Structure formats: C-alpha cells, structure tokens
C-alpha cells in the first residue's frame, strides 16, 4: 500500500533542492538550466541512473522507486558516489593535474583538508552544493514514489525528455493487467509529462509483457515507434545503458535470457480545432 507516500499537490511545491543541492539555491530555484528531465520509473537499485549521470552531467535525472529499502539503498549509493567523486577531485593535486582554482563564487570550492572530508563522511547531509561539481553524481537523485500515480504532481506538462521503464514487474495474470506500469490510461499521463520529441524506453525479458507494452504504446496516437540504431536512436548512449546498466538487465544476462526492447517518440499534441 502507498498510503504513507507523500505527494506534492502540484510540481511547484516540490523542493528539488533537497535532492539536487548543487543545482538549486536556497529558495528552491534552479540556478541554471532545466528541472528534472529523465525519469526512471521503478528504478530498482539505480544502475541506469549511475551509468547515465556522468554522460549527461547537466541533465537532472530521477529514479522513482516504491520499495522503501531499495530507495534508501539508491540514496545512500548516490551520497557515497558524490563523496567518492569529491575525494577523487581532492586527490588530484598530488597527481600531475593542477588543482582547480577556487576563486570564483560560482564554481564549487575544494574541500580544504582531511578534517572536512571526515565531517562530510560522518554526515552525508552535509554533501552540499559547495562540495559538488557537475559530473560528480550531483545530477542524479531518487524519490520513493509510486510511478503509476501522480506523476503530474511532480512534473510539469512536457517537462521530461526521457522516460525509462526497465524490466518492470510483469503481473502475469490478466486480472492484474491494470497493475502493469504501461496501460492505456497511464499512457495518457506519461504523454502529459513527456515533451514532444521526448523518448520512452522499454525493455523486458518477459515476452508477453513486451508484447503488451509495445502494443499499447504503438497504438497510442501520441507515440511513434522508433527504430533501433536509426534516426534519433543512432548513437544514443541510453540504448546501450537500457540493455546493460541495470541490475535486472545484468541478471537476465547471467541467465542468458532474451531482452525485448522498444523506444517511442512523443509526438506533438494535435492542433485543437
Ligand atoms: N528497473 C530496475 C532494473 O532494471 O534493475 C528494477 C527492475 S524490478 C524487476 C522492478 C522494480 O519496480 C522494483 O524495484 C519495484 O519495487 C519497482 N516498482 C514496482 N511498481 C512500482 C511503482 N508503481 N512505482 C515505482 N516503482 C515500482
């Protein structure tokens, strides 16, 4: 049950600064650029996000996960990766690379000494904007949420440019089809938060579920099927990541299972007469 889940009543009420402190000021305003653009629904242990974060350092990406402990795990992993990235940066002065100058007030300042690092490690909450640089996992976050509900409470119309549904739970029995993460009703909601030109990626090892998701997306007037390795998918690093980066994807690989993939582009809204 998700009675304990909390939702903002509208996107303006989300305080994204708590999730992406590097990118927001104290008033919750993004310093530059856009809000969250990539959403991984049912992100599990977050493998996709961790792989994409350094590839798109200026894009904010969010995992939505319903299980409490899994969400906590991903959160802790992000904090650890941010710290590790910071340590890596600190160790640079001893290598041939010169230390980054830290004079400008806009650019993050380096942590001064070991004491500071210990303090950061002791209290992960202290990983604040001052200690993060783009490319140091500051652009990835996770939220405990039911991805099948209330997405428009989190995201504005047309906010997202990528939406991922990777190895979702299959819900085999037909009376449970409504529980599937892709359904005609939910597609309207996904189309709402996705911008025209945005892409939905789906992958699963369950052929029956693939056929179901692919069929419903294919039949929806606001989605157009894309061809792998062609057009916008050509050279798109997300495709490779969708296949191989997630924990479930790796498990399927170990078991030598098949993977069924599709991607769809969000079409422009029809012009209203
Ligand atoms: N995408 C991940 C991967 O590829 O490794 C996880 C796949 S796992 C089979 C499905 C995940 O979706 C689980 O972690 C589950 O808790 C989560 N999940 C199921 N229903 C959900 C919902 N309505 N909202 C958010 N997450 C959900």
């Amino acid at each position: 049950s998700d009675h304990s889940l909390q939702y903002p009543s509208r996107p303006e009420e989300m305080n994204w600064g708590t999730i992406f402190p590097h990118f927001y000021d104290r008033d919750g305003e993004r310093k530059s650029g856009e809000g969250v653009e990539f959403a991984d629904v049912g992100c599990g242990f977050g493998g996709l996000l961790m792989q994409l974060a350094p590839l798109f350092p200026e894009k904010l990406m969010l995992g939505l996960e319903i299980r409490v402990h899994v969400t906590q795990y991903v959160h802790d992993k992000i904090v650890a990766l941010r710290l590790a990235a910071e340590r890596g940066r600190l160790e640079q002065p001893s290598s041939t690379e010169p230390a980054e100058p830290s004079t400008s007030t806009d650019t993050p300042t380096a942590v001064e000494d070991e004491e500071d690092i210990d303090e950061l490690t002791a209290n992960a909450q202290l990983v604040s904007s001052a200690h993060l640089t783009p490319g140091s996992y500051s652009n990835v976050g996770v939220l405990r949420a039911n991805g099948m509900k209330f997405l428009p409470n989190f995201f504005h119309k047309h906010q997202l440019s990528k939406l991922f549904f990777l190895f979702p739970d299959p819900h085999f029995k037909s009376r449970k089809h409504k529980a599937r993460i892709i359904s005609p009703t939910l597609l309207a909601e996904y189309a709402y938060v996705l911008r025209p030109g945005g892409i939905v990626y789906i992958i699963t090892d369950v052929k029956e579920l693939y056929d179901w998701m692919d069929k419903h997306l294919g039949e929806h007037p606001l989605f157009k099927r894309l061809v792998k390795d062609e057009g916008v998918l050509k050279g798109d690093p997300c495709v490779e990541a969708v296949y191989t980066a997630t924990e479930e994807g790796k498990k399927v690989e170990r078991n030598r299972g098949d993977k069924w993939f599709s991607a769809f582009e969000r079409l422009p809204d029809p012009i209203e007469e």
Side-chain angles (χ1 to χ4, degrees), residues 78 88 92 133 171 187 201:
I78 292 168
Q92 273 187 17
T133 47
H171 297 292
L187 281 179
Y201 301 80

Side-chain angles (χ1 to χ4, degrees), residues 168-236:
D169 296 327
H171 297 292
F172 281 107
K173 294 194 182 121
S174 59
R175 71 182 165 80
K176 292 206 82 178
H177 279 175
K178 274 211 304 274
R180 285 181 172 170
I181 204 126
I182 294 220
S183 72
T185 319
L186 287 171
L187 281 179
E189 210 153 280
Y190 302 147
Y192 176 85
V193 293
L194 202 62
R195 67 184 62 165
I199 301 178
V200 183
Y201 301 80
I202 61 165
I203 193 164
T204 173
D205 56 324
V206 181
K207 183 64 165 59
E208 192 213 329
L209 175 64
Y210 172 77
D211 289 341
W212 163 276
M213 296 193 294
D214 186 74
K215 171 177 178 284
H216 286 290
L217 274 157
E219 286 173 353
H220 196 286
L222 285 177
F223 291 100
K224 182 185 92 175
R225 189 186 310 280
L226 295 170
V227 181
K228 210 180 145 211
D229 299 325
E230 288 183 21
V232 286
L233 291 187
K234 198 170 171 180
D236 175 358

Side-chain angles (χ1 to χ4, degrees), residues 2 40-48 64-67 70 143-149 164-171 179 181 203 242 245-251:
D2 51 33
D40 182 2
V41 179
C43 69
F45 294 96
L48 177 89
L64 298 156
E65 171 53 53
I66 205 161
R67 284 185 290 170
V70 177
L143 198 64
R144 182 171 172 243
N146 183 341
M148 296 169 67
K149 285 186 180 173
F164 299 94
F165 298 96
L166 311 185
F167 304 97
D169 296 327
H171 297 292
I181 204 126
I203 193 164
V242 159
T246 72
E247 287 67 20
E248 198 62 29
K250 289 187 205 306
K251 194 166 104 190

